[in-house]
């Protein structure tokens, strides 16, 4: 049962698959990060050099416990072929875990809704943001994104982060409403340069990963990012404290006062 559940979670979980997964031996993991490096400079003969300092800071991962509680009636156990039911139940549990992981990874703002986790939405900072414009009451995301904006976003990616793992991350509806719209507007033979029509969606030569936790194409808020571009394993660490554990109880939902 556990092997089946973990396999399904990896299949559904976009953030877990693409971020850097770091095993945690305890509830807290501190990761050193370079905040400043040494600088070379020209000096004259017999002149003193200018001292520079390499400094470090820490990124702290704190494990959060997530649970899915499912009720199985005795009648269902008696009337259902148990092997088929376990397959379906494991898929539902895996989906619930993958969903909350993706929501925390892409949308987490540090509030209790996301278990105190800060995701890409709250950690990106203004330096990595391309704003398309203000959305009105009747506007949709698809109306704001242009080829120029896509090129502007791609240009922000540093050369060191342009790796074989670089991806576009967006809701599936955004891909069809935005990327395909832009490709059709260009027309001609350059359509294939912008949008590769193979089974694996591509945009500007990079693979597209559908992240259904992100804003969809009909969103009218200015606060939710439409898409991300980069190597998620360089941007985010995913702490994994321990494997999934399964427990069965006949009293898990019984009121203790009765």
């Amino acid at each position: 049962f556990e092997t089946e559940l973990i396999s399904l979670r990896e299949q559904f979980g976009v953030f877990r698959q693409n971020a850097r997964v770091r095993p945690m031996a305890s509830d807290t993991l501190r990761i050193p990060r370079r905040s400043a490096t040494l600088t070379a400079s020209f000096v004259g003969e017999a002149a003193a050099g200018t001292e520079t300092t390499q400094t470090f800071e820490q990124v702290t991962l704190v494990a959060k416990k997530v649970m899915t509680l499912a009720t199985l009636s005795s009648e269902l156990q008696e009337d259902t072929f148990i092997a088929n039911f376990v397959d379906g139940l494991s898929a539902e549990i895996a989906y619930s875990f993958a969903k909350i992981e993706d929501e925390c990874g892409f949308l987490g703002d540090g509030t209790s809704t996301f278990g105190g986790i800060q995701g890409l939405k709250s950690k990106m900072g203004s330096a990595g943001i391309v704003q398309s414009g203000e959305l009105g009451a009747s506007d949709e995301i698809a109306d704001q994104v242009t080829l120029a904006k896509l090129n502007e976003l791609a240009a922000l990616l540093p050369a060191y982060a342009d790796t074989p793992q670089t991806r576009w991350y967006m809701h599936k509806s955004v891909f069809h409403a935005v990327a395909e719209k832009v490709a059709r507007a260009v027309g001609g033979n350059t359509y294939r340069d912008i949008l590769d029509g193979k089974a694996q969606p591509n945009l500007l030569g990079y693979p597209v990963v559908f992240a259904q936790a992100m804003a969809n194409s009909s969103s009218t808020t200015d606060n939710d990012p439409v898409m991300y571009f980069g190597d998620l394993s360089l941007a985010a660490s995913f702490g994994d404290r321990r494997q999934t554990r399964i427990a069965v109880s006949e009293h898990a939902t019984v009121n203790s006062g009765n």
Side-chain angles (χ1 to χ4, degrees), residues 170-216:
M170 67 187 74
H171 195 280
K172 186 175 185 293
S173 65
V174 171
F175 174 77
H176 293 298
V178 174
E180 290 187 339
K181 182 197 72 173
V182 169
R184 286 193 299 269
V186 173
N189 294 330
T190 54
Y191 174 91
R192 292 298 178 188
D193 297 330
I194 299 171
L195 182 64
D196 192 333
K198 296 184 298 185
Q200 167 64 56
N202 283 266
L203 181 60
L204 299 180
Y206 294 88
V208 175
V209 176
F210 295 144
Q212 299 301 88
M214 294 180 60
N216 59 43

Side-chain angles (χ1 to χ4, degrees), residues 27-46:
D27 288 345
T28 303
L29 176 63
R30 292 179 174 85
I31 308 166
R33 177 172 61 187
R34 185 185 64 194
S35 57
T37 189
L38 303 179
T39 302
S41 59
F42 293 100
V43 295
E45 183 178 353

Side-chain angles (χ1 to χ4, degrees), residues 111-134:
T111 63
S112 58
T113 301
F114 302 98
I117 296 173
Q118 290 186 313
L120 292 179
K121 179 180 175 180
S122 63
K123 298 296 288 185
M124 276 292 296
S126 59
I129 299 295
V130 171
Q131 186 76 22
S132 289
E134 295 296 326

